[in-house]
Amino acid sequence: MSKILHKTTTLLIVCSIIVACLGCLTGCSNKSYKDVYNLADSYSNSIVNRNISKIKSASSNITDEEVNGIESILNYKENNIPENIKLIDAAIESLDYKIDAGSIVSDSNSGSVNVIFTVFDPEKIVEKADSTETTDITVTLEMINENGVWKVSNSYSAATASYEFINNIIALNNPGVTFASCSWWDEKNVELIPFHTREVTFSDIEYLSVEITLNDEKYAGDIYYTISKDGKVVYTSAKDDWNYVFVYAYECGSSTENDTFMPGKYTITYYYGPYEIASDTCTIK
């Protein structure tokens, strides 16, 4: 009888140990699942709200260069055209997300989950500004447990993929600004030299004279230009409504004692927002 009791007691103890172990394993798995879900939720919320500091703090080993890359996408209002800004603003306001809980894979050290972002369809919104048709962007967040703190380990690729619709709108909405002509004046201002027709050489000049004629003057007020010397930008103009400009030696920081251009190759490039519309190079001796 005592042997039977002993065996029964032993069996109960073994069963208790097994149950305890299973409970621990189940509890650990459940915790990592919740950690992955919670991080995905907070990280995706930071994406929607464009909170760079929170994106950075939730990321593992993200570099300053990568953070700057994400910021550059979000700085779409700089050097962009009003038409693009209006469409991107509308798309960003529509940005939302849901977490695909069924896609979660996790253990105590790492995990992953799919997040489905919804945003106005770039193609539809470019075709018709008031379109509310949406498209889904599925992003997989990879995560690791760093000393008890869960972080997104592929933050740069995840964030840039989430914001790709911004670049898509810019690319799709290129207004195709065209110009009828671009010409250099010679140093005596007596001859127009059309771009790319022949090698242009000046010597001992105080300013460059350049003329541009657009096919659609509605874009004129948003045109600006840069001047590069030997491949390096030395002057950027303000946006203005003009069709012909003087670029002075002192503006380019390249004047000599006689206020003339230093020798080198000078390139003028015209832009409409982020779009290059014309460019040519002259040599100054």
Side-chain angles (χ1 to χ4, degrees):
M1 186 70 175
S2 60
K3 289 183 178 180
I4 294 174
L5 287 173
H6 177 71
K7 287 181 180 179
T8 302
T9 303
T10 302
L11 181 60
L12 287 172
I13 292 172
V14 170
C15 289
S16 298
I17 293 172
I18 292 172
V19 169
C21 290
L22 287 174
C24 178
L25 290 173
T26 303
C28 291
S29 176
N30 186 51
K31 184 178 185 308
S32 64
Y33 177 96
K34 288 181 179 178
D35 288 337
V36 167
Y37 184 94
N38 289 338
L39 177 56
D41 189 36
S42 61
Y43 182 87
S44 300
N45 186 268
S46 298
I47 290 287
V48 167
N49 290 294
R50 306 182 301 286
N51 192 321
I52 290 292
S53 62
K54 287 188 176 180
I55 292 172
K56 183 177 180 180
S57 65
S59 304
S60 172
N61 296 320
I62 191 169
T63 66
D64 289 339
E65 184 179 0
E66 289 173 332
V67 172
N68 292 337
I70 298 170
E71 286 182 319
S72 69
I73 297 174
L74 294 177
N75 291 336
Y76 61 90
K77 293 187 179 181
E78 296 181 7
N79 295 323
N80 215 327
I81 59 177
E83 295 97 320
N84 285 347
I85 294 172
K86 182 178 179 180
L87 294 178
I88 295 169
D89 282 345
I92 280 179
E93 287 301 314
S94 77
L95 187 62
D96 203 353
Y97 71 93
K98 61 182 178 182
I99 299 168
D100 181 4
S103 71
I104 294 178
V105 177
S106 66
D107 58 32
S108 59
N109 298 312
S110 62
S112 67
V113 59
N114 292 336
V115 179
I116 303 168
F117 291 92
T118 303
V119 68
F120 284 161
D121 188 321
E123 290 188 10
K124 302 300 181 183
I125 200 174
V126 167
E127 290 174 4
K128 186 180 179 182
D130 60 354
S131 172
T132 56
E133 290 190 46
T134 61
T135 188
D136 291 340
I137 306 167
T138 300
V139 177
T140 300
L141 299 181
E142 303 288 345
M143 303 177 186
I144 59 172
N145 185 346
E146 294 183 342
N147 300 317
V149 179
W150 284 83
K151 301 274 188 176
V152 177
S153 59
N154 65 332
S155 185
Y156 177 71
S157 62
T160 52
S162 304
Y163 295 131
E164 184 60 23
F165 69 91
I166 295 176
N167 291 331
N168 290 342
I169 290 173
I170 293 172
L172 289 166
N173 200 46
N174 184 338
V177 181
T178 58
F179 57 94
S181 65
C182 293
S183 305
W184 301 93
W185 290 79
D186 73 358
E187 59 263 49
K188 295 180 181 179
N189 289 333
V190 296
E191 180 188 7
L192 283 173
I193 307 170
F195 277 17
H196 306 298
T197 56
R198 70 172 192 252
E199 185 175 342
V200 182
T201 303
F202 301 122
S203 60
D204 192 31
I205 59 171
E206 297 178 8
Y207 59 84
L208 295 170
S209 301
V210 191
E211 182 179 56
I212 182 171
T213 304
L214 299 174
N215 283 326
D216 191 336
E217 290 300 320
K218 76 178 183 179
Y219 297 115
D222 289 310
I223 301 294
Y224 68 98
Y225 63 89
T226 63
I227 296 288
S228 298
K229 178 181 183 294
D230 299 325
K232 182 180 179 180
V233 175
V234 292
Y235 179 75
T236 300
S237 77
K239 293 181 180 180
D240 204 349
D241 188 2
W242 39 252
N243 65 349
Y244 126 25
V245 301
F246 293 107
V247 182
Y248 292 93
Y250 67 82
E251 289 179 319
C252 297
S254 60
S255 59
T256 64
E257 293 180 358
N258 298 320
D259 287 332
T260 57
F261 282 91
M262 296 288 287
K265 287 188 177 295
Y266 289 80
T267 300
I268 186 167
T269 305
Y270 288 95
Y271 292 92
Y272 179 73
Y275 307 116
E276 178 181 322
I277 62 173
S279 183
D280 198 19
T281 299
C282 70
T283 300
I284 298 179
K285 295 183 177 180

